[in-house]
């Protein structure tokens, strides 16, 4: 499942092929939007010029010249590619945005937990962004302090809090496990049990593991591929995620796995022993 670093990799890949391109035509699959009226709304994009791409957390957006915005959530299996319009269509292609360069932006999603939506005012776009907490790629110290205060009021486990997009945006199952390992925090610790200093080191770890993942073009654990359809290089660099029973890269103890809030957590029982 693409998290912040994977979505950012895709954004950086496709942005140069999209910006300043005029939208010639659009096609939306009836599978994605069964209502014709809903599909026809996308026709309002035609003739508009793409001005910029942006991202916050796992949300990616495409701005056009006239206050029309495409909001893209990749969900579990969503992919965005810019391909030539004559390139063969992959199965599960749900959106095609033809550009005057001869390329088209394609959204492909086999399981369809993702979405592509059109909003026609900046306010609607900002509303979606403001639902989310700060993004580790851009947060400032004031925002970090606010996040820490919020975490310290929570009785939930720290692993579960890290996955809450309204607290901080873009962290999913991979980087939550990784950051807790780097900060040496047991994943079942409650927010109320952690000191501000410990949480600051955790937020730094979140940023570090995500920046490293971006540097290595994302983690291809399941279906994630970058904007060019290639796998990222980060999987082999992970400390604990998906490494159950393999030796910890620091102490050699077997990595363990457990379920928290219906999600798998990976951790080293020795490195992440009870320390506050
Ligand atoms: Zn260890």
């Amino acid at each position: 499942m693409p998290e912040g670093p994977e979505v950012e990799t895709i954004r950086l890949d496709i942005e140069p092929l999209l910006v300043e391109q005029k939208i010639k035509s659009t096609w939306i699959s009836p599978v994605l939007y069964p209502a014709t009226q809903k599909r026809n709304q996308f026709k309002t994009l035609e003739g508009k010029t793409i001005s910029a791409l942006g991202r916050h957390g796992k949300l990616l957006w495409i701005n056009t010249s006239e206050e029309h915005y495409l909001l893209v959530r990749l969900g579990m299996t969503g992919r965005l590619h810019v391909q030539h319009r004559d390139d063969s269509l992959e199965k599960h292609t749900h959106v095609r945005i033809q550009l005057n360069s001869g390329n088209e932006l394609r959204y492909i999603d086999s399981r369809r937990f993702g979405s592509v939506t059109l909003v026609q005012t900046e306010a609607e776009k900002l509303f979606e962004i403001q639902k989310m907490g700060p993004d580790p790629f851009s947060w400032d110290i004031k925002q970090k302090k606010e996040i820490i205060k919020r975490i310290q009021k929570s009785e939930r486990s720290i692993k579960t809090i890290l996955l809450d997009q309204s607290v901080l945006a873009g962290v999913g199952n991979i980087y939550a496990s990784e950051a807790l390992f780097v900060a040496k925090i047991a994943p079942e610790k409650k927010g109320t049990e952690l000191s501000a200093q410990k949480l600051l080191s955790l937020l730094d770890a979140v940023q570090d593991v995500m920046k490293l993942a971006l540097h290595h073009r994302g983690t291809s654990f399941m279906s994630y591929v970058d904007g060019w359809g290639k796998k990222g290089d980060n999987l082999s660099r992970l400390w604990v995620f998906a490494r159950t029973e393999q030796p910890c890269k620091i102490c050699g103890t077997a990595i363990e796995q457990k379920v928290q809030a219906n999600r798998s957590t990976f951790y080293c029982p020795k490195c992440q022993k009870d320390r506050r």
Side-chain angles (χ1 to χ4, degrees):
M1 182 166 177
E3 303 180 22
E6 288 75 33
V7 179
E8 182 67 1
T9 303
I10 292 169
R11 185 185 75 82
L12 292 169
D13 284 350
I14 64 176
E15 186 176 44
L17 296 166
L18 295 178
V19 171
E20 292 178 20
Q21 286 296 315
K22 200 169 182 174
I23 295 172
K24 276 179 71 178
S25 64
T26 60
W27 176 86
I28 314 294
S29 85
V31 177
L32 195 67
Y33 286 115
T36 313
Q37 192 194 358
K38 191 94 180 170
R39 291 200 303 281
N40 282 344
Q41 278 179 0
F42 286 81
K43 298 270 174 218
T44 60
L45 285 169
E46 293 172 8
K48 295 186 171 44
T49 302
I50 295 173
S51 54
L53 271 67
R55 181 199 60 82
H56 188 98
K58 302 175 197 173
L59 177 70
L60 184 145
W61 59 86
I62 297 168
N63 297 349
T64 72
S65 48
E66 292 168 66
E67 288 229 331
H68 277 55
Y69 306 91
L70 272 179
L71 306 183
V72 183
R73 292 177 174 88
L74 296 172
M76 283 182 74
T77 53
R79 289 189 278 143
L80 277 178
H81 297 310
V82 179
Q83 294 168 322
H84 192 270
R85 62 171 168 236
D86 295 334
D87 288 351
S88 57
L89 277 182
E90 286 180 65
K91 210 178 166 185
H92 308 297
T93 299
H94 294 300
V95 176
R96 298 169 69 185
I97 310 271
Q98 292 202 338
L99 310 165
N100 61 356
S101 61
N103 286 334
E104 46 182 55
L105 174 68
R106 294 175 178 174
Y107 172 71
I108 303 143
D109 193 354
S110 58
R111 297 193 61 184
R112 279 191 294 122
F113 286 107
S115 64
V116 177
T117 51
L118 175 69
V119 297
Q120 299 188 8
T121 62
E122 187 162 28
E124 284 176 88
K125 183 183 89 173
L126 289 176
F127 178 73
E128 293 302 317
I129 298 168
Q130 283 160 0
K131 284 181 191 169
M132 293 183 269
D135 184 295
F137 285 109
S138 59
W139 60 26
D140 58 31
I141 185 67
K142 187 168 162 257
Q143 289 174 316
K144 282 159 83 171
K145 284 181 178 168
E146 283 164 12
I147 294 170
I148 288 168
K149 274 190 202 154
R150 242 184 110 174
I151 295 175
Q152 287 185 310
K153 286 182 191 146
S154 176
E155 289 288 334
R156 292 185 296 169
S157 76
I158 186 63
K159 163 76 188 321
T160 308
I161 299 170
L162 287 178
L163 297 182
D164 183 342
Q165 301 301 300
S166 73
V167 178
L168 64 166
V171 177
N173 221 27
I174 301 172
Y175 304 113
S177 285
E178 291 294 294
L180 287 167
F181 174 84
V182 171
K184 300 193 187 313
I185 295 174
E188 67 275 8
K189 279 265 172 218
K190 290 176 183 173
T192 50
E193 294 175 317
L194 291 159
S195 69
Q197 194 189 1
K198 197 73 197 166
L199 286 170
L200 191 60
S201 77
L202 174 62
L203 296 188
D204 288 342
V206 166
Q207 194 180 43
D208 288 348
V209 296
M210 291 177 81
K211 280 188 170 172
L212 189 72
L214 175 63
H215 182 74
H216 294 295
R217 307 193 51 78
T219 303
S220 292
F221 171 61
M222 301 270 279
S223 61
Y224 161 74
V225 287
D226 63 19
W228 307 109
K230 291 198 168 66
K231 288 184 173 187
D233 293 328
N234 200 55
L235 184 63
S236 63
R237 292 173 170 90
L238 299 180
W239 295 103
V240 288
F241 180 81
R243 296 193 64 245
T244 312
E245 293 179 11
Q246 292 180 49
C248 169
K249 293 178 180 180
I250 300 290
C251 73
T253 305
I255 299 300
E256 293 184 4
Q257 177 182 353
K258 66 174 163 189
V259 174
Q260 288 181 287
N262 295 319
R263 307 291 302 275
S264 289
T265 301
F266 303 87
Y267 63 101
C268 171
K270 190 171 173 196
C271 292
Q272 291 167 266
K273 242 182 2 209
D274 186 12
R275 292 183 216 174
R276 295 190 187 189

